[in-house]
Structure formats: C-alpha cells, structure tokens
Amino acid sequence: MKIYFILLLLLCSGFVHAEQIKPFSSDGCSMFPDGTNAQQTLWLSCCTNHDIAYWQGGTAKQREQADNILKVCVAKVGEPQIAKLMLAGVRVGGSPYLPTSFRWGYGWSYFRGYQSLTTDEQQQVNVELKHYYLSVNKED
C-alpha cells in the first residue's frame, strides 16, 4: 500500500507546480494593419497594450474590458470605424478556446480558458512586464 501511495505522490507532483508565463511578446495588431498607409503605426501602441492584456489573460470580464479599451484607443487616434472593425475582430478571433498565438491568455500554455490570475501568476506577469519595459526603454 505504501508503494502505491508513493507512486501516486510522484505522479501528482508533476501537476502541482505552478505554470510559468512565457516572456511577453507582441505581433502588433496580429492579422490587422498597425496603421494607415500614410501613418503605418498609427494605432500600434493601442494593439501593444491590448496584447499585454491578452498575453496575461484572466476573466471573461477582463477580456471584454481590454477589447473595449482597444476600441476607445483606436477611435481616439481618429479612426472610429476602424475601431469598430477591430473590436469585432478581437471578439471573434481572440477567444481563449482557439489554439492561436494571439488568443486570450497566450502567455500561458493552451488551454487556460477564462480564469483569474493567482497571486503567484500576477507576480510572474509583473516581473515579465518589468523586463519588457526595461528592454523597450533600452532601445529608445
């Protein structure tokens, strides 16, 4: 009986460890232009901020908020119609249930779905974002 208990502990120990988030990465506006022909990066910063939210994931409500922030950001740069189109695209294409590189929670292993970040996960996000911002500031 002891041997079965030890084997069970060994098997389960592989599932107990916390998952590590991948370093933050952004592909800009994913499958959408980053701006207009005249201003090719006009709304790129809106998409990068949106990617930060998508990379870390969270609840369905947090995703809806991130998508609405994207819409407002793109509208503020003077493109309200593009903003509506982008909102429709991210609502359909950003589902955590699709195995895409730009899905909700793409920093974590597939399949995470919608779930709040634990304290440990939020700390990981904070560390990775700090590294990202430090690297971006070095490039300036």
Side-chain angles (χ1 to χ4, degrees):
M1 187 67 164
K2 281 184 181 179
I3 192 86
Y4 290 115
F5 182 72
I6 292 170
L7 286 173
L8 182 62
L9 280 175
L10 289 173
L11 286 173
C12 291
S13 67
F15 300 105
V16 174
H17 68 84
E19 184 181 2
Q20 291 296 121
I21 195 166
K22 298 173 192 108
F24 174 69
S25 63
S26 174
D27 64 357
C29 297
S30 298
M31 301 179 76
F32 201 84
D34 295 337
T36 65
N37 284 338
Q39 294 176 286
Q40 295 187 355
T41 59
L42 182 60
W43 52 75
L44 176 59
S45 64
C46 301
C47 293
T48 302
N49 289 332
H50 187 251
D51 281 355
I52 289 170
Y54 264 60
W55 163 76
Q56 65 185 304
T59 66
K61 183 174 179 79
Q62 289 170 314
R63 177 177 173 226
E64 185 177 351
Q65 290 170 336
D67 292 345
N68 285 323
I69 290 169
L70 172 68
K71 179 185 173 205
V72 168
C73 184
V74 174
K76 279 185 179 178
V77 298
E79 297 292 343
Q81 296 305 322
I82 296 290
K84 290 177 187 175
L85 183 61
M86 289 176 83
L87 177 63
V90 296
R91 292 307 301 163
V92 172
S95 170
Y97 306 114
L98 300 174
T100 62
S101 62
F102 48 82
R103 72 181 182 282
W104 180 250
Y106 70 84
W108 306 101
S109 298
Y110 184 75
F111 171 82
R112 182 178 176 85
Y114 292 111
Q115 56 182 291
S116 296
L117 299 180
T118 65
T119 302
D120 176 64
E121 290 169 338
Q122 188 60 60
Q123 288 173 344
Q124 290 182 53
V125 165
N126 294 342
V127 167
E128 290 300 327
L129 286 178
K130 184 177 179 180
H131 290 143
Y132 167 71
Y133 289 125
L134 286 172
S135 72
V136 169
N137 289 333
K138 282 182 183 178
E139 294 172 7
D140 292 343

